[in-house]
Amino acid sequence: MRIVRFHTDSGPAYGSLTEGGSVHAISGDIFGDFAVGAKVATVDDLRLLAPLDPPKVIGVGANYLEHIREGGEDSAIPSFPMVFQLPSTAVIGPEDPIVLPRKDGFLHAVNHPELKREPFNPVEYEAELVVVIGKPCRDIQEAEALDYVLGYSCGNDVSARALQTAEMATGVLMLGKGLDTFKPLGPCIATDLDPTELTVTARLNGTPTQRASTSDLIFSVASLVTYLAQAISMQPGDCIYTGTPSGGGSLEAGDTIEVEVSGVGVLRNPVVSA
């Protein structure tokens, strides 16, 4: 099943997206008991939203070997997942614009020479598989971890590199990846997929720039869910951005960036200036 969330005059609603593009109404709780009803519309006639409002958004860094090597041959392979939490306010849906922040923003007041000289650029995209937790879990075994997953979506871990680098030098990571509009998510939550054999692709203005299989993840989906649940109570709707392969690049106003995950669909977002 592919679960979408869409705008209505009375608020967001959930639907089931068919292969033919029809959306059928979902009643009930997508994390519990629900039923699929009559056709509402075709997907092209609806304004799709991010498929959920996640309680928590967790990012994973350095999870593809080739991406690590982009940082230099001496870049270390992590012995455990590099995770960081992100604000849910950064999440946007399909076709929502990624807003490039102003260079003359408040960060000019930060006492860091790199930020004063070039506070945000480059802003870069990162195509990622996103895991959506379906049931509460805490202190679980890896063999059962996928039982707690509702499904999977496409994500874009947009990053302001200069700010990210300045933060990481102090041992933190949040604002560089957590600015408003920097976490596109969608177009749906696809259930019943094997997360070990999915293809993740990025296209910038129609040109492929990233392509890899989730079989190349250093830390699998099951191991990430297990690792996080040892310390954090994971809740329905929590999202894990699982890391990006090599080949990401910069975004400029006027660009269109697409992230595709096999079995899920295409997440497309335009890029605009503030």
Side-chain angles (χ1 to χ4, degrees):
M1 176 180 288
R2 290 186 294 168
I3 301 169
V4 295
R5 192 169 68 119
F6 55 92
H7 170 80
T8 74
D9 290 341
S10 57
Y14 282 102
S16 175
L17 175 63
T18 69
E19 289 295 331
S22 296
V23 176
H24 292 250
I26 287 179
S27 58
D29 180 6
I30 64 167
F31 301 106
D33 295 328
F34 66 89
V36 178
K39 177 180 175 180
V40 176
T42 63
V43 68
D44 292 338
D45 293 329
L46 297 172
R47 178 192 161 202
L48 291 187
L49 308 172
L52 75 167
D53 287 324
K56 291 193 288 292
V57 179
I58 296 173
V60 181
N63 205 17
Y64 285 86
L65 182 58
E66 289 304 314
H67 181 52
I68 294 172
R69 287 176 174 165
E70 285 182 316
E73 288 296 329
D74 58 345
S75 297
I77 299 173
S79 57
F80 56 90
M82 188 183 89
V83 297
F84 46 93
Q85 191 158 359
L86 297 161
S88 59
T89 48
V91 173
I92 58 174
E95 304 297 343
D96 289 339
I98 298 167
V99 180
L100 300 178
R102 292 165 43 219
K103 293 183 181 182
D104 60 348
F106 76 97
L107 284 166
H108 268 292
V110 175
N111 187 23
H112 190 288
E114 289 300 315
L115 297 186
K116 288 180 179 296
R117 181 169 57 85
E118 192 71 36
F120 290 111
N121 289 345
V123 172
E124 298 186 343
Y125 60 88
E126 295 185 345
E128 307 201 2
L129 171 71
V130 176
V131 181
V132 181
I133 299 298
K135 296 187 293 186
C137 59
R138 177 74 163 86
D139 196 23
I140 59 174
Q141 300 299 311
E142 187 168 332
E144 61 179 342
L146 296 185
D147 295 339
Y148 294 90
V149 173
L150 173 65
Y152 305 92
S153 196
C154 305
N156 192 340
D157 184 18
V158 180
S159 307
R161 293 300 188 205
L163 177 54
Q164 176 188 345
T165 300
E167 284 189 295
M168 291 176 69
T170 70
V172 300
L173 180 56
M174 182 177 176
L175 294 186
K177 287 176 171 285
L179 290 160
D180 287 353
T181 76
F182 269 31
K183 289 297 160 283
L185 180 66
C188 67
I189 303 168
T191 65
D192 303 317
L193 298 181
D194 177 1
T196 67
E197 293 290 345
L198 301 175
T199 301
V200 179
T201 305
R203 288 183 292 271
L204 180 62
N205 301 322
T207 301
T209 56
Q210 290 183 285
R211 184 177 177 86
S213 170
T214 54
S215 62
D216 297 330
L217 286 170
I218 297 171
F219 301 103
S220 68
V221 168
S223 66
L224 289 173
V225 174
T226 305
Y227 176 76
L228 289 165
Q230 302 311 304
I232 300 171
S233 294
M234 300 297 288
Q235 300 296 328
D238 287 346
C239 289
I240 306 169
Y241 283 62
T242 58
T244 195
S246 61
S250 299
L251 294 173
E252 302 290 345
D255 286 343
T256 298
I257 182 67
E258 295 177 316
V259 176
E260 182 172 5
V261 176
S262 55
V264 178
V266 178
L267 170 64
R268 181 184 298 105
N269 297 93
V271 182
V272 301
S273 297

